[in-house]
Amino acid sequence: MSTQTADHTDIRATNLAAVLGFLRRQAPCSRAAIASGTGLNKATVTSIVGDLLDRRLVRETQQTQNHVGRPATLLVLDGSAYAAIGLEVSARGLSALAYDTAGEQVLRWHRAGPGVDAGPAKTIAALAALARRAITTVQSSGRRVLGITVGVPGLVNRDGAVVLAAGLGWRDVALQADLAAALGRPDIPVNVDNDASLAVLAEHLYGPLAGSENLIELNGDTGVGAGIIVDGRPLRGHLGYVGEIGHLRLVADGPVCGCGRRGCLEALASLPAILSRIDGLTDPDPQIQLEHLIRRADAGEAAVTKVLAEAGTHLGHGIAALVNILNPGYVVLGGSYALLATHLSPTITKSLHESAIAPDAGGCTIVASTFPHTATPLGATAQALAPLTMGHLPSLA
Amino acid sequence: MSTQTADHTDIRATNLAAVLGFLRRQAPCSRAAIASGTGLNKATVTSIVGDLLDRRLVRETQQTQNHVGRPATLLVLDGSAYAAIGLEVSARGLSALAYDTAGEQVLRWHRAGPGVDAGPAKTIAALAALARRAITTVQSSGRRVLGITVGVPGLVNRDGAVVLAAGLGWRDVALQADLAAALGRPDIPVNVDNDASLAVLAEHLYGPLAGSENLIELNGDTGVGAGIIVDGRPLRGHLGYVGEIGHLRLVADGPVCGCGRRGCLEALASLPAILSRIDGLTDPDPQIQLEHLIRRADAGEAAVTKVLAEAGTHLGHGIAALVNILNPGYVVLGGSYALLATHLSPTITKSLHESAIAPDAGGCTIVASTFPHTATPLGATAQALAPLTMGHLPSLA
C-alpha cells in the first residue's frame, strides 16, 4: 500500500490488522506493548482496542508481567463471538471444520461422500446438510458464523463456479450459488476455491512451515493439484486457474485421464489411480480403502510398495516441472500423499533430482504435511476470516 | 509497505518514486498537478522536485497549459545526467543498449558473439570490451552510468554467477565478479540476471502489454526459458531459478539436450535446435542463419515450414505446462520466436489448446514481442535503473 494514496478507512483497517496480527503472535500483551510493537501511537491503539473489545474480538485479563510490579491489564484474543466454517469436497468424502477468531477449533467432522458417481446435485445437497449442521453447532456455542469457504478439487472461476473437476466428473457446476441458495442464509458469505490453494494457505499460516515464502502443496486425493505460494503470496493468475499440474502429460499413450487425455500425472498417480491398481481393496468407502492401502504398504507387501514407488516416480517428474518453473523452497505432500509419504518420498526425491535442472533441485525440500486430513478446510476457515484479518470488523449485531 | 513501520527514509523514497512515476506517465506537468495526482502535499512535492532539479533528473520548461492563461512553469524528465547500460549474451551474439533517465536511447549495438564454442573466458572478455565501449559512449554524451545489468540464458544465483547455461555450455561461471573485475569500475554496479526474466520486465514496463498483471515471455534464442510476471510482480522463487521450462521432457528418447537429458523442449524447439534441422544454413553467424531461415520460411519452402510447425507443436505443449500452472493472460513470443511468429503460432495455438486443462486455455493470448531484438537488454536497463525508480537518488557527483 502506498502511503500517499491511502484514505482514512484504508489506514484504519491496516492499523487494525496490525493490532490483531500482533495479538495473534504475542498475546497476552499490554496496549503499550502493542503500540511499541506496531509503531502505532498509544491513542490509536486505545481506540482500536476499544473497537475490538466492543465486538468481543479481544478481552482484558489481569496479569503480572515479568513477575514484578503491580498487575497490569493485558489483552488476549477472544474467540467467543465469531467463528468461520471450512468445508471440503473430495473423493474421500466431505469434511467440515470450524475455528473461532481466537484460533480454537469449534468442530471437526468427516463423512463418507455421496461418492464420485453421485453427481453434483446430490453432493451439493449433502454438503448443504453438513453446512447447516455446522452452522447450528457454531451458533449453539454462542458464536456468529462470519463465513463459509468450500474447497473443491478443480478449476473454480471468480463466481465460485466449478468450471471443471475431472476427478469428481464435474463441469460447470455453480457450487457457490447453489450452496448459498440451499442454505438460505444471505447473512453468511459463501465462497468456493480450489482445494490445493486453500491447503497451501493453511501451510503458509500455521504449522512448521508457516511464513515460508516459496511453498507448494501437492494434493492427490481426487485429482492432482498444487497450491502455490510464491514470493510470500498465494498465486492467483489471470482467472484463478493455477496449479493444475495434474494434466501434465508424462506417458505417451498412458492410461486415460478424467480430462479425456492420456498419460496425465493425475491418471498415473492420484489416490484414485493408485487405489485402482491395488487388488483386494473392496470397501466402497475410499477412506477405508486408503487405510487398508496404508496398512498393507506399512507391512511391506511388495505389490503395494511397487505401485507406490511407481506413483512416486511420476510425482517426482511432475514436481520437477513445478520446481523448474517456480523454484519453491518446499513442496509439501498433502492429504493422502502425506499419509503415504514414507512410501512415496524415496522415488519422488530420486526422479525430482533427475528431472530438475537447477543443482540440488534448486534447494527444494520435500516434506509431508502435518495437516493430512484438514489442510484444505483449515485454509478455508482462514480464507473465510480474511476480511477480519485484513482489518475489516464485522458489523455490530 | 505498511504505514506504521515506514521510517522517514522509506517514506521519502516512496514519495520520490511516486513523483518520478507520475512524471514518467504525465510530463509535462506542474508541481500542483503532481501534488493532486499523487496525493502528496505541495510542500513535499516542492522539496522532492528541488532534489530532482539539483540532480538534473527533471528540468523546468515554460509552457501554456490548456492554451489559456499565462505560461506556467512545467516539469519534464531530464535525461542529460544519467543513463544505464543493458547487455545480453546469447547464441545470436552480444548486444548492448543504453537508455537515459528520460527514456531516450543513447546507444544500441549488436555484434556477432565469440560463438558458443568460445568458452566463458573469451565471451566475458568480449563482453567487457563491449561494456567499456558503451561506458565511454555514454560518458562522452555527458551522462554518468548508473549501472550495468547483463542478461544470460541460464540459471543465475544471487551473486550473479551463472550456475548453468546449457545452451552456452557454461557451468559455474562467476560472470558478475569477472565482468566487474575486467571493467575495474567500482563506481558502476554490475548485475547479472536471467535473460527471459529481464525480457518480461521490458514487456511489463513498456510496449503494448505494459501493466499486464499475468504475463510470460518465452525466449528460445539459446536455450528455452520463460520470464514470468505473476499477479503484477516478477517471479523470483527461493533462489531465483524460475521459468526453466526448457527442460520439460516432451519426447521419451528424443534428441539429446545440452543439459545431458533427452527429449527436452529446448532440444526440440530452441532456435539452435531449429537451425540444426534445416539444410543449407552454412553461415557461421547464427544471426545470419536466422535471417536466411526467415526468408526461406516466408517464401513457403515446405521443408522449412514443416520444421517450424513441429517446433510450434512442441512449444505449445511447453506453454500448456506454464498455462496450467500459472494461468497467464498473455504469453509473449520473444527474440527469434517473435520473428518467426507467423510460422510458429498456428501449431503453438493448436497444441496449447489441446494440452491446457482450463477452457479456452484459461484466457491466454499468444502474441509476438514488439521488442524481438532488444527485450532483454531493455529490461536490463530498467533493472539497472531500479534503485532510482524505487526513489533512491544517485549521490551528487
Side-chain angles (χ1 to χ4, degrees), chain B residues 131-141:
Chain B
R132 257 191 300 270
R133 199 147 65 82
I135 293 170
T136 305
T137 303
V138 168
Q139 286 176 341
S140 49
S141 79

Side-chain angles (χ1 to χ4, degrees), chain B:
Chain B
M1 201 184 75
S2 59
T3 45
Q4 67 276 13
T5 58
D7 69 16
H8 182 73
T9 319
D10 288 339
I11 292 172
R12 182 77 180 181
T14 303
N15 293 345
L16 204 144
V19 170
L20 273 178
F22 186 83
L23 278 161
R24 201 166 294 123
R25 294 185 303 274
Q26 304 285 343
C29 54
S30 67
R31 287 172 177 78
I34 296 172
S36 85
T38 60
L40 294 168
N41 68 50
K42 278 183 117 174
T44 303
V45 170
T46 301
S47 157
I48 286 172
V49 167
D51 279 355
L52 294 172
L53 286 166
D54 285 348
R55 280 166 180 80
R56 289 196 293 141
L57 285 160
V58 305
R59 59 187 171 77
E60 293 183 326
T61 173
Q62 295 292 323
Q63 211 168 310
T64 305
Q65 268 183 309
N66 305 325
H67 311 291
V68 291
R70 63 179 176 82
T73 301
L74 299 186
L75 298 162
V76 291
L77 289 175
D78 183 352
S80 64
Y82 304 97
I85 296 172
L87 302 173
E88 180 183 15
V89 181
S90 85
R92 284 162 69 185
L94 304 179
S95 300
L97 196 66
Y99 269 78
D100 71 24
T101 52
E104 290 297 315
Q105 184 177 298
V106 181
L107 64 88
R108 174 181 160 185
W109 300 331
H110 180 81
R111 52 154 290 182
V116 170
D117 303 329
K122 217 162 176 174
T123 303
I124 293 172
L127 192 67
L130 189 70
R132 257 191 300 270
R133 199 147 65 82
I135 293 170
T136 305
T137 303
V138 168
Q139 286 176 341
S140 49
S141 79
R143 296 172 176 96
R144 211 170 105 197
V145 177
L146 285 180
I148 298 177
T149 294
V150 190
V152 287
L155 305 174
V156 178
N157 74 13
R158 304 223 160 160
D159 300 321
V162 182
V163 172
L164 177 67
L168 295 176
W170 289 16
R171 203 175 274 271
D172 296 319
V173 175
L175 177 57
Q176 184 175 308
D178 289 356
L179 181 61
L183 292 176
R185 288 291 300 260
D187 58 318
I188 303 178
V190 174
N191 283 289
V192 177
D193 204 341
N194 175 268
D195 57 352
S197 295
L198 294 169
V200 79
L201 204 59
E203 304 290 346
H204 183 57
L205 293 172
Y206 316 109
L209 300 178
S212 296
E213 296 249 298
N214 288 282
L215 180 68
I216 293 175
E217 162 125 359
L218 199 72
N219 190 302
D221 286 0
T222 306
V224 175
I228 300 169
I229 304 280
V230 281
D231 301 336
R233 301 194 310 184
L235 181 68
R236 305 305 311 182
H238 180 48
L239 299 173
Y241 304 148
V242 300
E244 291 295 332
I245 189 68
H247 304 282
L248 188 73
R249 195 184 60 172
L250 292 180
V251 177
D253 304 319
V256 174
C257 179
C259 73
R261 301 179 189 84
R262 280 182 172 277
C264 296
L265 173 59
E266 183 162 312
L268 295 161
S270 65
L271 178 63
I274 292 171
L275 293 175
S276 74
R277 297 185 58 204
I278 308 279
D279 290 331
L281 295 174
T282 50
D283 194 286
D285 182 347
Q287 183 62 32
I288 292 173
Q289 289 186 32
L290 172 62
E291 285 159 20
H292 289 174
L293 171 68
I294 294 169
R295 205 169 313 137
R296 288 166 60 184
D298 287 348
E301 187 182 324
V304 172
T305 54
K306 179 163 177 285
V307 167
L308 291 173
E310 286 168 3
T313 297
H314 294 307
L315 288 171
H317 287 299
I319 292 171
L322 293 166
V323 163
N324 284 342
I325 294 172
L326 297 164
N327 187 208
Y330 295 94
V331 170
V332 182
L333 303 178
S336 51
Y337 289 155
L339 304 171
L340 294 164
T342 50
H343 305 289
L344 296 169
S345 291
T347 48
I348 286 178
T349 303
K350 183 162 181 287
S351 67
L352 166 62
H353 282 256
E354 279 166 10
S355 293
I357 186 69
D360 195 28
C364 177
T365 304
I366 307 284
V367 298
S369 174
T370 52
F371 311 111
H373 299 289
T374 55
T376 292
L378 181 59
T381 64
Q383 202 203 56
L385 290 174
L388 176 61
T389 310
M390 306 284 281
H392 301 284
L393 289 175
S395 57
L396 279 169

Side-chain angles (χ1 to χ4, degrees), chain A residues 287-310:
Chain A
Q287 182 63 32
I288 292 173
Q289 287 186 31
L290 172 62
E291 284 158 21
H292 289 174
L293 170 69
I294 293 169
R295 205 170 312 136
R296 288 166 59 184
D298 288 347
E301 187 182 322
V304 172
T305 54
K306 180 165 176 285
V307 167
L308 291 173
E310 285 169 4

Side-chain angles (χ1 to χ4, degrees), chain A residues 107-198:
Chain A
L107 65 86
R108 175 182 159 183
W109 298 331
H110 179 82
R111 53 153 289 183
V116 169
D117 303 329
K122 217 162 176 174
T123 302
I124 293 172
L127 191 68
L130 189 69
R132 258 191 299 270
R133 200 147 64 82
I135 293 169
T136 305
T137 303
V138 169
Q139 286 175 341
S140 50
S141 78
R143 296 175 176 95
R144 210 171 105 196
V145 178
L146 284 181
I148 297 177
T149 295
V150 190
V152 287
L155 305 174
V156 179
N157 73 13
R158 304 222 160 158
D159 299 323
V162 182
V163 172
L164 176 67
L168 295 176
W170 289 16
R171 204 175 275 271
D172 296 318
V173 175
L175 178 56
Q176 183 174 308
D178 289 356
L179 181 60
L183 292 177
R185 288 290 303 262
D187 58 319
I188 303 178
V190 174
N191 283 289
V192 178
D193 204 342
N194 175 269
D195 57 351
S197 296
L198 294 170

Side-chain angles (χ1 to χ4, degrees), chain A residues 47 57-58 80 119 124 157 181 191 243 268 298 310 316 325 357 365 368 376 386 394:
Chain A
S47 157
L57 285 161
V58 305
S80 64
I124 293 172
N157 73 13
N191 283 289
L268 296 161
D298 288 347
E310 285 169 4
I325 293 171
I357 186 72
T365 304
T376 292

